[in-house]
Amino acid sequence: MSNFLSKIKLIYLRFLLVAIGFILLYSFLIWIVVYQFSLLALNEDLINFWLPFCLPVIPVYIWLRPRIKLLVLKDKKGNLPFLYFFAACLAISAPTIVLQGYLLTATGKLTTVNNITEISQKPITKYYTVANHYIDKQHATVHRRTEVSGRNNEYLTFHLYVACPILNKASQIDTSNNNNFNMPVAWLGTEYTKSISNHSSDTEKEQAFKELGIEAYNKLKEENLDRFVYLDHIGNNDHRKGYYAAIKSIPQYNSAEPLILEAKNEPFEARNGDKFVWIFKSFGIGAAIWLIMLIFPKFDNVQLKKLPEYSFQNQWKTFYKFISAIKITSKSSVSVIIIAVNILVFIIMVFAGLGFISFDGQDLYAWGANYRPAVISGQWWRLLTNIFLHGGLMHLIFNMYGLLFVSIFLEPILGRAKFIIAYFLCGLLASIASIWWHPATLSVGASGAIFGLYGVLTALLTTNKADANSKRGLLINNAIFIGINLIIGFSGGIDNAAHMGGLLTGFIIGYIMYFFIDEPKPKRRYKKKIKIIENKGDLLEKEN
């Protein structure tokens, strides 16, 4: 019993302190920065899910991990310490995510107006009730967007964003002249979607897109859009981006920020659902599971003796070392710098409100995606900028993993200068291959350059410039990596032209660089002299 009480005191109370501290601090900062003073226009998916899902790793690693080490956690594969670490992170992130959803709906103010024009005369709020209104379907405007998702881009989703002007009454519409249209005070947004496999043929994709257009037209025609309980002023998310793009497409758009609303048909009092209760339920479930997990393992007596080293002061030093470890310097490997630049570009795009899981094609184009019509019109810089852009989170993760793996073996052979030359040459020629093959396809990603590095490594592995002991294993690994990814690419949705162009360029560069690389030095075998003192005191030398 005393052993379990010691676990409560030394480990569980620390968990509760870290968990409650993170949940309250993160939620307070989001409420101040985003909702109360609107200092940052962050993407809602980012602040409501991905940040609270990922950030608990930092306080758990710094302040709770040393206490987890006090337990004897061993299995055949050594996974138990990670299991406790992951369970702690999940127990913190779940209630934080629920709380963000509650803050989004609960902190918004409701404004009641007699007609839609009065909205422009009052401060902007989250919710509105409007006594007199008319939804003008005649001047509806549409934006179409396609989204690719999944680990291997296997899903394709079509989105139709329809924005209709909200007027005070139907008599405001000038039916005699369709071009005589004034920008309204607010717009009502409605989204229609349809998903299919990205491996479908072009004919099937085109047919699915046409079907979505017909379905959306029929629903819009039949639905009474004026029938709603209240209106929700949507924040910075994919819906708003789609409606905004539709509004900007009309000739009368005057660059003013439009007020975009979505209709809600449930009672206003029900907007929060059970979120508030589930904040405490999710925290209680996570805390209870973690408490149960503490019952079974024993204390590690060796680690208990080191407990004074785990003070808060020393853990702040751990935090400083953690920050120092990820700092990029002039002595860092080139591959680490390239990975850091790719991640930095992704983070900047996320904080610019462009998305997180995936980015819109128009945004990728604006940031420098590869596109033949733009390149041949003089925007040659796109041939390089596109290799630092990625279509979303999973695209970035898998590309950076592939880059990290190949660089571990290739950069020591080439050196920093030759490695970066090979990377950019492969990326450039992969981009050229892409626009040569695709007449009008948007392309982003470092995969063409990465395929090129695998080509360079494969070429060098067939020569005497690589370590003979590792040749066979690396050649098999490269063949598997290249083969699987090319096969997946042929199934559709992936720019295999860039992959092939980068790979062939890498082979050629590898054989050219063969003449500028020194052969690997043979491993020296050292003879050690060990002094042995026998019982008689004689000093002998024995060579091994």
Side-chain angles (χ1 to χ4, degrees):
M1 185 65 180
S2 60
N3 191 35
F4 181 68
L5 292 177
S6 297
K7 293 177 185 176
I8 296 292
K9 180 181 177 181
L10 296 176
I11 304 174
Y12 193 67
L13 290 180
R14 175 64 63 88
F15 161 75
L16 292 178
L17 182 63
V18 171
I20 295 172
F22 176 85
I23 293 169
L24 294 180
L25 179 60
Y26 178 83
S27 301
F28 176 74
L29 288 176
I30 293 299
W31 178 74
I32 288 290
V33 173
V34 177
Y35 300 126
Q36 186 67 19
F37 297 106
S38 301
L39 300 177
L40 290 176
L42 299 177
N43 183 275
E44 286 183 355
D45 290 337
L46 177 68
I47 61 176
N48 293 339
F49 182 80
W50 290 106
L51 286 180
F53 181 77
C54 298
L55 288 182
V57 171
I58 298 174
V60 169
Y61 178 84
I62 296 170
W63 289 295
L64 190 58
R65 185 183 64 93
R67 296 299 174 98
I68 295 175
K69 291 171 67 176
L70 297 177
L71 301 173
V72 178
L73 300 172
K74 292 182 180 179
D75 66 358
K76 293 181 180 180
K77 296 182 179 180
N79 294 326
L80 281 180
F82 173 77
L83 177 63
Y84 277 68
F85 184 91
F86 179 75
C89 292
L90 199 60
I92 297 172
S93 63
T96 311
I97 291 169
V98 178
L99 180 53
Q100 303 321 299
Y102 177 77
L103 286 176
L104 178 64
T105 56
T107 59
K109 296 179 181 179
L110 176 66
T111 299
T112 300
V113 294
N114 184 51
N115 56 59
I116 205 69
T117 304
E118 289 184 13
I119 289 181
S120 61
Q121 302 165 6
K122 296 179 179 290
I124 298 297
T125 59
K126 173 69 173 169
Y127 303 109
Y128 294 94
T129 56
V130 186
N132 300 294
H133 51 79
Y134 177 76
I135 309 303
D136 179 12
K137 298 181 184 179
Q138 180 178 328
H139 292 96
T141 179
V142 178
H143 172 68
R144 300 168 178 83
R145 182 173 75 91
T146 57
E147 179 184 17
V148 177
S149 59
R151 176 177 174 179
N152 297 310
N153 296 331
E154 61 264 35
Y155 304 112
L156 182 67
T157 303
F158 299 111
H159 299 263
L160 275 182
Y161 296 99
V162 181
C164 299
I166 306 177
L167 308 177
N168 293 334
K169 50 189 177 180
S171 59
Q172 286 184 261
I173 303 175
D174 185 357
T175 56
S176 63
N177 186 358
N178 235 9
N179 295 322
N180 187 16
F181 172 72
N182 296 320
M183 286 292 289
V185 172
W187 297 77
L188 182 73
T190 308
E191 181 197 20
Y192 303 94
T193 63
K194 189 179 185 67
S195 297
I196 62 169
S197 170
N198 198 26
H199 303 318
S200 304
S201 66
D202 291 342
T203 303
E204 291 172 326
K205 292 177 183 177
E206 185 177 350
Q207 180 62 30
F209 185 74
K210 288 180 180 179
E211 289 174 358
L212 175 62
I214 295 171
E215 291 172 8
Y217 175 79
N218 291 332
K219 287 181 180 179
L220 188 66
K221 185 178 179 180
E222 297 169 2
E223 190 176 0
N224 184 3
L225 298 180
D226 282 287
R227 187 177 297 169
F228 55 81
V229 177
Y230 65 95
L231 296 170
D232 180 6
H233 178 204
I234 58 176
N236 186 8
N237 53 34
D238 289 340
H239 284 201
R240 176 176 175 76
K241 286 172 58 182
Y243 302 138
Y244 191 23
I247 296 167
K248 288 195 297 183
S249 67
I250 64 174
Q252 293 85 359
Y253 176 68
N254 55 11
S255 76
E257 187 76 10
L259 180 64
I260 305 173
L261 308 168
E262 284 185 327
K264 301 296 179 181
N265 290 306
E266 74 271 17
F268 180 74
E269 295 74 16
R271 70 193 185 282
N272 297 322
D274 296 328
K275 296 188 188 80
F276 185 76
V277 174
W278 272 103
I279 295 170
F280 298 97
K281 282 186 178 180
S282 59
F283 180 78
I285 292 170
I289 292 173
W290 218 75
L291 180 62
I292 293 170
M293 292 173 67
L294 290 180
I295 295 175
F296 305 103
K298 298 178 180 179
F299 272 122
D300 187 332
N301 293 324
V302 176
Q303 294 296 330
L304 275 175
K305 293 178 181 179
K306 298 179 180 180
L307 188 59
E309 299 177 11
Y310 301 144
S311 64
F312 266 99
Q313 183 178 1
N314 287 335
Q315 283 159 35
W316 276 112
K317 293 180 181 178
T318 304
F319 176 70
Y320 176 76
K321 290 179 181 178
F322 175 79
I323 297 299
S324 300
I326 61 175
K327 184 168 63 176
I328 304 298
T329 67
S330 59
K331 296 181 180 179
S332 300
S333 69
V334 171
S335 56
V336 170
I337 295 173
I338 293 172
I339 291 172
V341 171
N342 278 275
I343 294 174
L344 179 62
V345 171
F346 179 81
I347 291 173
I348 292 172
M349 293 181 69
V350 168
F351 277 88
L354 304 182
F356 186 74
I357 295 298
S358 63
F359 298 121
D360 189 73
Q362 290 183 339
D363 293 326
L364 291 171
Y365 177 83
W367 279 66
N370 197 21
Y371 188 58
R372 186 204 280 186
V375 172
I376 62 177
S377 66
Q379 298 178 16
W380 300 100
W381 43 271
R382 292 181 179 274
L383 295 174
L384 283 179
T385 54
N386 83 92
I387 68 175
F388 293 100
L389 298 174
H390 289 84
L393 178 65
M394 299 308 295
H395 190 198
L396 175 74
I397 289 174
F398 285 108
N399 272 358
M400 293 305 99
Y401 175 78
L403 175 57
L404 179 63
F405 185 86
V406 71
S407 64
I408 291 173
F409 301 99
L410 185 59
E411 189 172 349
I413 299 174
L414 296 182
R416 288 160 58 93
K418 295 185 188 71
F419 184 91
I420 199 166
I421 289 171
Y423 182 83
F424 278 104
L425 279 178
C426 291
L428 176 64
L429 291 172
S431 298
I432 293 173
S434 176
I435 63 170
W436 173 76
W437 184 261
H438 301 292
T441 298
L442 209 63
S443 178
V444 294
S447 54
I450 295 168
F451 262 81
L453 295 181
Y454 275 91
V456 173
L457 179 60
T458 303
L460 292 175
L461 287 173
T462 63
T463 70
N464 61 350
K465 297 301 174 75
D467 184 10
N469 296 325
S470 58
K471 278 185 180 182
R472 178 181 173 85
L474 285 176
L475 279 170
I476 293 173
N477 177 80
N478 284 11
I480 293 173
F481 174 86
I482 293 169
I484 290 176
N485 281 280
L486 288 179
I487 291 171
I488 293 173
F490 284 121
S491 63
I494 296 174
D495 189 359
N496 246 6
H499 292 176
M500 293 294 294
L503 182 63
L504 293 175
T505 301
F507 279 130
I508 296 170
I509 290 176
Y511 286 119
I512 293 174
M513 286 188 171
Y514 167 83
F515 299 100
F516 304 95
I517 300 173
D518 296 329
E519 292 186 23
K521 296 180 181 179
K523 295 181 180 180
R524 295 178 60 185
R525 295 183 178 179
Y526 296 94
K527 289 185 177 181
K528 297 180 180 179
K529 290 187 176 181
I530 304 174
K531 295 182 179 180
I532 303 174
I533 300 178
E534 295 186 343
N535 292 333
K536 295 180 179 180
D538 297 334
L539 185 66
L540 303 176
E541 287 189 356
K542 182 180 179 181
E543 287 191 359
N544 285 342

